[in-house]
């Protein structure tokens, strides 16, 4: 029997990834440990758990049912893991999408996923206005709600307001290890973007079989991602892997530049940094990059 089969068989049939990863941290006494840092502040594992519960209740209050889809197009801030894990905990299928796609791509994704709800950063909302308007012209529209993360909701619901008004009571949908957890769309370089369906145990397995034994991340680490959470690469490196170890992740909503990254590395004492090769090349060529001690 393979190591994957052994690990998969250890996951109970009744399983919810969001509930599991939050419970493991709280049970380990990490409630007051910082889970995420973004430009707005620091958020402990207890803060995150509360936000996730509240967002799950927001989905229920809006009538979003289990296995229905929620399209998430957010810049990297605390609202990203809140919406992603909150949807999973409610048994709703999270569909995080690339923030750099075109209006036509977003319209296709909304129609293809039949998303009942869109969660979008205020800065990205203009790219969705055409798709939102088009959805209203359909006899039986799928998209019924829009939630905006930012200072102004522009006629829609504001993420922070809904979260503040929601119940904090913990409730987990009765999902199983065979249920869909989230979708990830391909880039569409060879045609229309295609959705890949990921099941509940998959994120746990990537940590059990790769991050924990190979990367050796522990709770003393501070991580910074040069990519973005909507990528599978970023989702593992900045959410699944650090949360599985009780580590802290620094989130950067803006496009990463050598100056911005250098400042965050120094300010937060980052011990693990992930990026793509093109960024490493630019970073090493920049005078802002920390110098190796002589």
């Amino acid at each position: 029997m393979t190591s994957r089969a052994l690990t998969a068989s250890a996951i109970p049939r009744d399983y919810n990834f969001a509930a599991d990863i939050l419970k493991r941290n709280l049970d380990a006494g990490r409630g007051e440990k910082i889970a995420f840092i973004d430009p707005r502040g620091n958020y402990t594992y207890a803060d995150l758990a509360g936000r996730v519960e509240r967002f799950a209740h927001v989905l229920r209050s809006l009538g979003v049912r289990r296995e229905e889809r929620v399209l998430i197009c957010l810049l990297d801030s605390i609202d990203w893991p809140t919406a992603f894990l909150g949807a999973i905990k409610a048994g709703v299928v999270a569909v995080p999408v690339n923030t750099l796609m075109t209006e036509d791509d977003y319209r296709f994704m909304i129609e293809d996923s039949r998303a009942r709800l869109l969660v979008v950063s205020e800065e990205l909302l203009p790219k969705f206005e055409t798709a939102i308007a088009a959805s209203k012209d359909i006899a039986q529209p799928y998209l019924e709600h829009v939630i905006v993360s930012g200072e102004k909701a522009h006629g829609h619901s504001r993420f922070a307001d809904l979260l503040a008004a929601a119940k904090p009571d913990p409730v987990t949908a009765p999902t199983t290890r065979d249920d869909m957890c989230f979708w990830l769309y391909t880039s569409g370089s060879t045609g229309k973007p295609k959705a890949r369906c990921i099941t509940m145990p998959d994120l746990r397995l990537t940590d059990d079989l790769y991050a924990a034994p190979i990367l050796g991340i522990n709770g003393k680490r501070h991580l910074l991602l040069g990519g973005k959470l909507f990528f599978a690469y970023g989702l593992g490196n900045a959410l699944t892997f650090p949360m599985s170890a009780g580590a802290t992740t620094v989130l950067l909503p803006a496009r990463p530049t050598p100056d911005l990254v250098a400042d965050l590395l120094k300010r937060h004492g980052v011990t693990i940094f992930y990026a793509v090769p093109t960024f490493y090349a630019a970073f090493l060529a920049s005078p802002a990059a920390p110098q190796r001690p002589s």
Side-chain angles (χ1 to χ4, degrees):
M1 188 177 289
T2 66
S3 59
R4 186 189 190 283
L6 283 169
T7 306
S9 66
I11 295 177
R13 184 182 183 281
D14 297 328
Y15 182 77
N16 182 284
F17 172 76
D20 173 39
I21 200 165
L22 291 170
K23 185 176 186 298
R24 277 189 281 149
N25 280 291
L26 297 180
D27 287 352
R30 302 185 190 121
E32 297 309 309
K33 188 172 189 307
I34 296 173
F36 290 98
I37 299 170
D38 74 5
R40 290 183 291 178
N42 300 344
Y43 304 88
T44 66
Y45 278 93
D47 293 333
L48 177 63
R51 290 174 63 89
V52 168
E53 296 293 0
R54 288 177 182 275
F55 189 74
H57 280 288
V58 167
L59 295 178
R60 293 186 185 93
S61 70
L62 294 175
V64 182
R65 296 168 295 187
R66 285 178 56 195
E67 299 189 357
E68 292 184 325
R69 273 72 61 200
V70 170
L71 203 80
I72 299 172
C73 191
L74 292 172
L75 302 176
D76 287 8
S77 75
I78 189 59
D79 290 347
W80 205 108
T82 299
F84 181 73
L85 295 173
I88 294 170
K89 202 164 190 295
V92 174
V93 178
V95 186
V97 298
N98 190 325
T99 59
L100 304 174
M101 303 296 272
T102 67
E103 290 186 33
D104 287 342
D105 287 327
Y106 291 137
R107 180 171 179 174
F108 169 78
M109 290 173 182
I110 287 175
E111 293 174 354
D112 182 65
S113 67
R114 300 179 183 179
R116 285 282 308 282
L117 184 147
L118 167 67
V119 186
V120 59
S121 292
E122 182 181 0
E123 298 90 332
L124 303 173
L125 181 62
K127 281 191 173 184
F128 283 88
E129 294 293 5
T130 300
I132 293 169
S135 71
K136 296 177 182 178
D137 294 332
I138 301 173
Q140 293 183 317
Y142 299 113
L143 185 65
E144 296 183 358
H145 308 284
V146 177
I147 299 176
V148 178
S149 168
E151 290 300 315
K152 298 179 181 178
H154 303 276
H156 304 291
S157 299
R158 186 168 171 264
F159 192 99
D161 294 340
L162 291 176
L163 221 60
K167 298 177 181 178
D169 309 334
V171 178
T172 303
T175 54
T176 74
R177 65 188 179 199
D178 296 322
D179 286 341
M180 283 188 292
C181 184
F182 66 102
W183 293 6
L184 279 181
Y185 273 96
T186 61
S187 62
S189 56
T190 59
K192 291 291 186 182
K194 300 173 182 64
R196 294 169 289 161
C197 300
I198 291 85
T199 58
M200 281 288 172
D202 290 340
L203 290 176
R204 174 71 185 261
L205 293 174
T206 58
D207 181 71
D208 288 350
L209 300 176
Y210 168 65
I214 304 300
L215 299 181
I217 299 172
N218 60 52
K220 297 180 181 179
R221 301 293 189 178
H222 279 59
L223 293 87
L224 175 64
L225 177 66
K228 292 297 172 184
L229 282 167
F230 59 75
F231 288 121
Y233 175 75
L235 179 60
N237 291 334
L239 192 149
T240 309
F241 303 161
M243 284 191 66
S244 294
T248 300
T249 298
V250 180
L251 297 174
L252 175 61
R255 184 178 69 86
T257 64
D259 286 348
L260 273 176
V261 168
D263 176 63
L264 292 174
L265 290 174
K266 297 171 186 175
R267 194 187 333 160
H268 296 294
V270 172
T271 53
I272 299 178
F273 172 60
Y274 299 101
V276 295
T278 51
F279 182 86
Y280 286 130
F283 189 59
L284 292 173
S286 169
Q291 300 301 306
R292 182 188 296 273
S294 56

mmCIF file of all heavy atoms in Angstrom, residues 273-290:
data_model
loop_
_atom_site.group_PDB
_atom_site.id
_atom_site.type_symbol
_atom_site.label_atom_id
_atom_site.label_comp_id
_atom_site.label_asym_id
_atom_site.label_seq_id
_atom_site.Cartn_x
_atom_site.Cartn_y
_atom_site.Cartn_z
ATOM 1 N N PHE A 273 10.620 32.485 2.426
ATOM 2 C CA PHE A 273 10.066 33.325 1.371
ATOM 3 C C PHE A 273 9.887 32.487 0.112
ATOM 4 O O PHE A 273 10.799 31.802 -0.326
ATOM 5 C CB PHE A 273 11.002 34.507 1.086
ATOM 6 C CG PHE A 273 10.601 35.326 -0.108
ATOM 7 C CD1 PHE A 273 9.368 35.957 -0.155
ATOM 8 C CD2 PHE A 273 11.459 35.473 -1.192
ATOM 9 C CE1 PHE A 273 8.989 36.708 -1.253
ATOM 10 C CE2 PHE A 273 11.091 36.218 -2.300
ATOM 11 C CZ PHE A 273 9.859 36.845 -2.327
ATOM 12 N N TYR A 274 8.676 32.550 -0.466
ATOM 13 C CA TYR A 274 8.366 31.828 -1.694
ATOM 14 C C TYR A 274 8.140 32.827 -2.823
ATOM 15 O O TYR A 274 7.490 33.858 -2.626
ATOM 16 C CB TYR A 274 7.077 31.019 -1.556
ATOM 17 C CG TYR A 274 7.073 29.954 -0.496
ATOM 18 C CD1 TYR A 274 6.450 30.174 0.727
ATOM 19 C CD2 TYR A 274 7.663 28.718 -0.722
ATOM 20 C CE1 TYR A 274 6.417 29.184 1.700
ATOM 21 C CE2 TYR A 274 7.637 27.729 0.240
ATOM 22 C CZ TYR A 274 7.011 27.966 1.450
ATOM 23 O OH TYR A 274 6.972 26.991 2.403
ATOM 24 N N ALA A 275 8.660 32.510 -3.996
ATOM 25 C CA ALA A 275 8.389 33.337 -5.171
ATOM 26 C C ALA A 275 8.643 32.490 -6.412
ATOM 27 O O ALA A 275 9.049 31.332 -6.327
ATOM 28 C CB ALA A 275 9.268 34.581 -5.177
ATOM 29 N N VAL A 276 8.405 33.094 -7.569
ATOM 30 C CA VAL A 276 8.669 32.416 -8.840
ATOM 31 C C VAL A 276 10.056 32.840 -9.340
ATOM 32 O O VAL A 276 10.596 33.862 -8.911
ATOM 33 C CB VAL A 276 7.586 32.762 -9.881
ATOM 34 C CG1 VAL A 276 6.234 32.216 -9.424
ATOM 35 C CG2 VAL A 276 7.498 34.277 -10.095
ATOM 36 N N PRO A 277 10.664 32.066 -10.247
ATOM 37 C CA PRO A 277 12.032 32.366 -10.689
ATOM 38 C C PRO A 277 12.237 33.783 -11.213
ATOM 39 O O PRO A 277 13.272 34.398 -10.949
ATOM 40 C CB PRO A 277 12.275 31.319 -11.786
ATOM 41 C CG PRO A 277 11.427 30.160 -11.380
ATOM 42 C CD PRO A 277 10.184 30.778 -10.786
ATOM 43 N N THR A 278 11.261 34.314 -11.960
ATOM 44 C CA THR A 278 11.431 35.660 -12.504
ATOM 45 C C THR A 278 11.556 36.703 -11.395
ATOM 46 O O THR A 278 12.308 37.674 -11.523
ATOM 47 C CB THR A 278 10.256 36.028 -13.426
ATOM 48 O OG1 THR A 278 9.015 35.772 -12.737
ATOM 49 C CG2 THR A 278 10.296 35.215 -14.706
ATOM 50 N N PHE A 279 10.820 36.483 -10.288
ATOM 51 C CA PHE A 279 10.937 37.443 -9.190
ATOM 52 C C PHE A 279 12.284 37.311 -8.491
ATOM 53 O O PHE A 279 12.904 38.319 -8.123
ATOM 54 C CB PHE A 279 9.815 37.266 -8.162
ATOM 55 C CG PHE A 279 9.905 38.294 -7.059
ATOM 56 C CD1 PHE A 279 9.324 39.537 -7.210
ATOM 57 C CD2 PHE A 279 10.616 38.043 -5.891
ATOM 58 C CE1 PHE A 279 9.443 40.510 -6.225
ATOM 59 C CE2 PHE A 279 10.731 39.004 -4.898
ATOM 60 C CZ PHE A 279 10.145 40.244 -5.068
ATOM 61 N N TYR A 280 12.742 36.078 -8.290
ATOM 62 C CA TYR A 280 14.042 35.896 -7.652
ATOM 63 C C TYR A 280 15.131 36.629 -8.431
ATOM 64 O O TYR A 280 16.014 37.273 -7.858
ATOM 65 C CB TYR A 280 14.393 34.414 -7.555
ATOM 66 C CG TYR A 280 13.629 33.654 -6.496
ATOM 67 C CD1 TYR A 280 12.999 32.459 -6.801
ATOM 68 C CD2 TYR A 280 13.551 34.125 -5.189
ATOM 69 C CE1 TYR A 280 12.306 31.745 -5.835
ATOM 70 C CE2 TYR A 280 12.855 33.425 -4.218
ATOM 71 C CZ TYR A 280 12.231 32.240 -4.548
ATOM 72 O OH TYR A 280 11.541 31.543 -3.589
ATOM 73 N N ALA A 281 15.074 36.529 -9.754
ATOM 74 C CA ALA A 281 16.077 37.193 -10.584
ATOM 75 C C ALA A 281 16.027 38.706 -10.394
ATOM 76 O O ALA A 281 17.063 39.369 -10.226
ATOM 77 C CB ALA A 281 15.859 36.831 -12.055
ATOM 78 N N ALA A 282 14.808 39.271 -10.410
ATOM 79 C CA ALA A 282 14.666 40.719 -10.229
ATOM 80 C C ALA A 282 15.083 41.146 -8.825
ATOM 81 O O ALA A 282 15.709 42.197 -8.633
ATOM 82 C CB ALA A 282 13.221 41.130 -10.499
ATOM 83 N N PHE A 283 14.749 40.313 -7.860
ATOM 84 C CA PHE A 283 15.051 40.644 -6.459
ATOM 85 C C PHE A 283 16.561 40.653 -6.213
ATOM 86 O O PHE A 283 17.100 41.569 -5.582
ATOM 87 C CB PHE A 283 14.374 39.626 -5.544
ATOM 88 C CG PHE A 283 14.426 39.978 -4.085
ATOM 89 C CD1 PHE A 283 13.879 41.160 -3.618
ATOM 90 C CD2 PHE A 283 14.998 39.111 -3.172
ATOM 91 C CE1 PHE A 283 13.899 41.480 -2.271
ATOM 92 C CE2 PHE A 283 15.041 39.425 -1.819
ATOM 93 C CZ PHE A 283 14.486 40.613 -1.374
ATOM 94 N N LEU A 284 17.255 39.653 -6.730
ATOM 95 C CA LEU A 284 18.698 39.560 -6.512
ATOM 96 C C LEU A 284 19.457 40.679 -7.229
ATOM 97 O O LEU A 284 20.558 41.059 -6.816
ATOM 98 C CB LEU A 284 19.208 38.196 -6.978
ATOM 99 C CG LEU A 284 18.726 37.003 -6.141
ATOM 100 C CD1 LEU A 284 19.140 35.687 -6.790
ATOM 101 C CD2 LEU A 284 19.259 37.097 -4.719
ATOM 102 N N ALA A 285 18.845 41.199 -8.305
ATOM 103 C CA ALA A 285 19.478 42.294 -9.042
ATOM 104 C C ALA A 285 19.168 43.658 -8.444
ATOM 105 O O ALA A 285 19.730 44.671 -8.871
ATOM 106 C CB ALA A 285 19.026 42.254 -10.506
ATOM 107 N N SER A 286 18.287 43.697 -7.459
ATOM 108 C CA SER A 286 17.845 44.968 -6.880
ATOM 109 C C SER A 286 18.735 45.367 -5.693
ATOM 110 O O SER A 286 19.091 44.523 -4.872
ATOM 111 C CB SER A 286 16.391 44.860 -6.419
ATOM 112 O OG SER A 286 16.030 45.983 -5.639
ATOM 113 N N PRO A 287 19.040 46.645 -5.560
ATOM 114 C CA PRO A 287 19.798 47.098 -4.380
ATOM 115 C C PRO A 287 18.998 46.979 -3.093
ATOM 116 O O PRO A 287 19.569 47.066 -2.002
ATOM 117 C CB PRO A 287 20.105 48.564 -4.718
ATOM 118 C CG PRO A 287 19.078 48.964 -5.727
ATOM 119 C CD PRO A 287 18.800 47.742 -6.518
ATOM 120 N N ALA A 288 17.660 46.779 -3.216
ATOM 121 C CA ALA A 288 16.829 46.659 -2.024
ATOM 122 C C ALA A 288 16.981 45.295 -1.346
ATOM 123 O O ALA A 288 16.649 45.141 -0.167
ATOM 124 C CB ALA A 288 15.357 46.866 -2.386
ATOM 125 N N ALA A 289 17.480 44.308 -2.069
ATOM 126 C CA ALA A 289 17.598 42.961 -1.514
ATOM 127 C C ALA A 289 18.602 42.933 -0.374
ATOM 128 O O ALA A 289 19.663 43.555 -0.440
ATOM 129 C CB ALA A 289 18.041 41.991 -2.596
ATOM 130 N N PRO A 290 18.276 42.222 0.726
ATOM 131 C CA PRO A 290 19.236 42.092 1.828
ATOM 132 C C PRO A 290 20.533 41.449 1.335
ATOM 133 O O PRO A 290 20.506 40.547 0.487
ATOM 134 C CB PRO A 290 18.502 41.175 2.818
ATOM 135 C CG PRO A 290 17.064 41.265 2.454
ATOM 136 C CD PRO A 290 17.030 41.502 0.968
#
